[in-house]
Amino acid sequence: MSLPGFDYRAPVTIEEAVALRLELGADALIMAGGLAVVVLLRERLARPAVVVSLSDIPELQAVAVNGGLRIGATATHAALARSKTARSIAPLLCEACGHVGSPAIRNMGTLGGSVCHGDGASDPAPALLALDAEAIIAGPRGERRLPLVKFFLGALTTALNGDEILVALHVPRPAAGTQFRFIKYTATSAEAFSTVTVAVSITRDGAGVCSNARIGLGSVAPTPLRARAAEDLLRGNKLTREIIAAAAAAAAACTNPSSSAQGSAEYRRDMTEVWVRRLLAEMPA
Ligand SMILES: Cc1cc2nc3c(=O)[nH]c(=O)nc-3n(C[C@H](O)[C@H](O)[C@H](O)COP(=O)(O)OP(=O)(O)OC[C@H]3O[C@@H](n4cnc5c(N)ncnc54)[C@H](O)[C@@H]3O)c2cc1C
């Protein structure tokens, strides 16, 4: 593999990384686990003068409970899949991270890298959307927080400005009794990108009426999606067979898939309906 020449910097604090980002501007390419970055370099899709690695910043690797869950941007998928701290608040996210690619990909790839890459086929992103996660972003003007649902703007395009880095993801503590379901459905190998990924979070009151619903979808649009129309149908209702069927159809209707080795656009849309229906139907009342 031949890569173009570049300088390499490895700041050890967030402040240093933000200062470097500001100083180098478009000459810098931020690197976390490097899985996507190496492809960008190898294919000459990016020609940075300097690669700025975030790997030596301990604060970015930390996973901590602080009311909700704060996940440092460079926590790896493997670390999150086995983290008891993460599981105590966000078992849905741990499950999603455990299904990313192969063990080697999970060991190298980071949650922040997956989110910042902005790939519609990310498996953790639907889980983060179903958990109502926020991005915590650092830049020269300080820190800002952005709901993840506003972070994904288009294919491989996010709301991160050129002088900012993602420092963490915040997952709020779910309401008591909230139920979660996740599926990464692949038509080929379990290590391949999905045909469709579905993450569901449902809260019901004592009478079984749905008080909150969030459905995240992956691999069925240029960005990870929230199936808002489906959520609206569930909220305020019991999860009857009819309501579940209507919500599953609404989820499929909000997709905009493309065809690939993982399935045709039609198949992906159909499987979205199938999996949203199945995940909702299997939740005990
Ligand atoms: C063979 C293979 C199989 C895969 N299979 C799957 C799969 O099944 N499911 C799945 O979900 N994903 C899969 N992936 C994608 C992989 O999970 C992501 O590419 C990976 O998580 C990206 O993380 P990274 O740390 O390597 O990011 P990097 O490659 O380091 O960075 C990705 C992008 O984000 C930017 N960036 C990274 N971190 C930050 C930050 N903190 N602040 C600002 N910008 C940042 C970089 O500049 C770059 O543009 C696969 C990838 C490969 C190569």
Side-chain angles (χ1 to χ4, degrees):
M1 174 171 56
S2 118
L3 298 180
F6 52 81
D7 284 342
Y8 178 82
R9 304 282 291 272
V12 294
T13 65
I14 293 172
E15 293 71 26
E16 209 187 317
V18 170
L20 262 178
R21 189 90 163 115
L22 188 63
E23 175 196 327
L24 297 168
D27 284 339
L29 181 62
I30 297 286
M31 181 171 80
L35 289 170
V37 162
V38 166
V39 175
L40 294 174
L41 293 172
R42 189 190 61 205
E43 303 300 325
R44 290 359 186 217
L45 296 170
R47 290 179 172 270
V50 184
V51 169
V52 177
S53 168
L54 302 180
S55 300
D56 289 352
I57 306 177
E59 197 183 334
L60 290 185
Q61 294 158 21
V63 178
V65 173
N66 63 349
L69 184 69
R70 182 183 165 107
I71 306 165
T74 62
T76 64
H77 303 306
L80 286 166
R82 62 173 180 259
S83 165
K84 288 189 180 136
T85 306
R87 198 165 289 276
S88 69
I89 304 270
L92 184 70
L93 179 64
C94 299
E95 188 174 354
C97 288
H99 284 89
V100 171
S102 61
I105 297 297
R106 292 195 286 278
N107 281 329
M108 286 186 70
T110 67
L111 186 64
S114 177
V115 167
C116 291
H117 192 41
D119 188 348
S122 161
D123 291 313
L128 287 166
L129 290 173
L131 291 166
D132 206 20
E134 276 184 327
I136 304 177
I137 297 165
R141 292 163 298 282
E143 202 171 274
R144 69 180 175 115
R145 294 168 83 109
L146 187 70
L148 209 60
V149 73
K150 295 188 176 162
F151 188 85
F152 301 114
L153 299 183
L156 307 185
T157 308
T158 71
L160 211 56
N161 293 320
D163 55 3
E164 294 178 320
I165 63 168
L166 178 75
V167 292
L169 291 144
H170 172 78
V171 176
R173 188 181 284 276
T178 300
Q179 293 173 295
F180 307 101
R181 287 292 183 277
F182 175 86
I183 179 80
K184 171 186 175 178
Y185 172 71
T186 64
T188 53
S189 131
E191 296 191 351
F193 280 99
S194 70
T195 302
V196 59
T197 299
V198 183
V200 178
S201 157
I202 297 287
T203 314
R204 279 178 282 188
D205 65 18
V209 173
C210 176
S211 54
N212 206 359
R214 280 188 294 269
I215 301 175
L217 302 176
S219 293
V220 286
T223 66
L225 286 186
R226 277 273 299 274
R228 299 273 200 187
E231 296 170 2
D232 291 345
L233 284 167
L234 295 170
R235 218 172 286 115
N237 283 306
K238 290 191 174 179
L239 269 58
T240 60
R241 183 192 274 261
E242 293 72 26
I243 288 289
I244 288 175
C254 78
T255 63
N256 178 19
S258 54
S259 298
S260 78
Q262 309 311 324
S264 67
E266 293 73 20
Y267 181 62
R268 295 183 118 124
R269 193 174 290 117
D270 287 351
M271 293 316 288
T272 303
E273 182 167 352
V274 166
W275 281 109
V276 170
R277 190 177 63 237
R278 283 187 190 168
L279 294 191
L280 290 171
E282 75 183 24
M283 283 185 170

